[in-house]
Amino acid sequence: AQSVTQPDIHITVSEGASLELRCNYSYGATPYLFWYVQSPGQGLQLLLKYFSGDTLVQGIKGFEAEFKRSQSSFNLRKPSVHWSDAAEYFCAVAITGFQKLVFGTGTRLLVSP
Amino acid sequence: DSGVTQTPKHLITATGQRVTLRCSPRSGDLSVYWYQQSLDQGLQFLIQYYNGEERAKGNILERFSAQQFPDLHSELNLSSLELGDSALYFCASSVAGTTGELFFGEGSRLTVL
């Protein structure tokens, strides 16, 4: 079955430090991959998406992600974290002709001063 | 503001009761998705409608039902409520019937006592 794994439940990063959030997927065909962010009390907002082409995709708020087919991964990165980045981050894969998203369990990012 | 409106924001009810959650998609979006977010299950896809028709079904219980009306708003009906139905219910919308970028509402938090 198609699935998305986010191995880190919580991550704490110092403000100004770099960030990498891990995402691995299991899907037989070419995946369509997404990263969403959920701030406390808010809905989910799309950060970036990968459909095809360049495996390094740029998103909003300075985030980027790299698709690595050989590793079945789509890790999210940011070179310098800001306190406002503290939130929960969800990786997702689109399946069945794009008709629904399957989400990972999320990674909660804490930013320390 | 994603443009997706969900009401009510909070709802407290008792076991065995029935509730209706309402969603107004972004202007122009034909597709509506319902997701359930709980601590133990994470984000679970429930159901998708496109222009009034059911398009995809996920882990939706038989006690739950949904519909999309001609004006494109959608309602999720939850009946015979159980304690385990306590969760955050998100509605999302997208432009076409396929999954690209989903725009999420802020959710309806249901507490079943």
Side-chain angles (χ1 to χ4, degrees):
Chain A
Q2 296 84 356
S3 64
V4 176
T5 302
Q6 293 180 248
D8 304 305
I9 298 175
H10 296 100
I11 280 186
T12 300
V13 175
S14 298
E15 190 168 16
S18 64
L19 169 71
E20 183 167 23
L21 302 182
R22 296 183 292 165
C23 172
N24 292 95
Y25 65 89
S26 172
Y27 184 49
T30 301
Y32 296 86
L33 297 159
F34 306 79
W35 275 99
Y36 281 81
V37 61
Q38 183 181 24
S39 298
Q42 301 294 315
L44 283 76
Q45 181 185 21
L46 180 70
L47 285 176
L48 47 79
K49 60 188 176 187
Y50 171 77
F51 283 178
S52 64
D54 192 346
T55 56
L56 184 64
V57 294
Q58 302 297 320
I60 63 171
K61 305 184 181 186
F63 285 92
E64 66 178 28
E66 186 171 12
F67 170 61
K68 293 186 178 180
R69 184 186 301 275
S70 61
Q71 299 178 17
S72 298
S73 69
F74 188 57
N75 294 348
L76 182 71
R77 301 194 294 247
K78 186 170 185 178
S80 177
V81 169
H82 188 262
W83 64 267
S84 60
D85 293 324
E88 187 144 23
Y89 292 80
F90 292 90
C91 183
V93 61
I95 65 173
T96 319
F98 306 109
Q99 287 172 354
K100 64 179 183 181
L101 289 182
V102 174
F103 286 88
T105 51
T107 297
R108 184 168 297 278
L109 173 65
L110 304 173
V111 180
S112 60
Chain B
D1 182 5
S2 68
V4 177
T5 303
Q6 289 188 248
T7 57
K9 292 193 185 308
H10 301 276
L11 191 55
I12 301 174
T13 189
T15 54
Q17 295 299 304
R18 172 191 172 94
V19 299
T20 297
L21 309 180
R22 182 188 169 99
C23 169
S24 294
R26 290 191 322 154
S27 177
D29 285 358
L30 299 180
S31 205
V32 168
Y33 306 75
W34 285 98
Y35 281 83
Q36 180 194 58
Q37 186 179 36
S38 60
L39 286 176
D40 55 342
Q41 297 290 325
L43 265 166
Q44 296 287 316
F45 168 74
L46 296 179
I47 198 163
Q48 178 205 357
Y49 280 83
Y50 174 72
N51 203 20
E53 294 188 2
E54 183 182 305
R55 179 62 66 94
K57 211 168 205 179
N59 302 322
I60 188 166
L61 300 172
E62 286 190 8
R63 300 183 286 108
F64 296 0
S65 65
Q67 55 184 325
Q68 186 179 27
F69 295 86
D71 67 352
L72 300 178
H73 91 271
S74 178
E75 293 181 355
L76 179 66
N77 300 296
L78 315 175
S79 62
S80 303
L81 286 168
E82 302 175 359
L83 296 177
D85 298 328
S86 296
L88 193 52
Y89 291 85
F90 283 110
C91 171
S93 71
S94 68
V95 174
T98 57
T99 298
E101 176 172 0
L102 296 190
F103 294 87
F104 281 81
E106 295 187 355
S108 293
R109 182 169 294 283
L110 173 66
T111 302
V112 182
L113 301 176

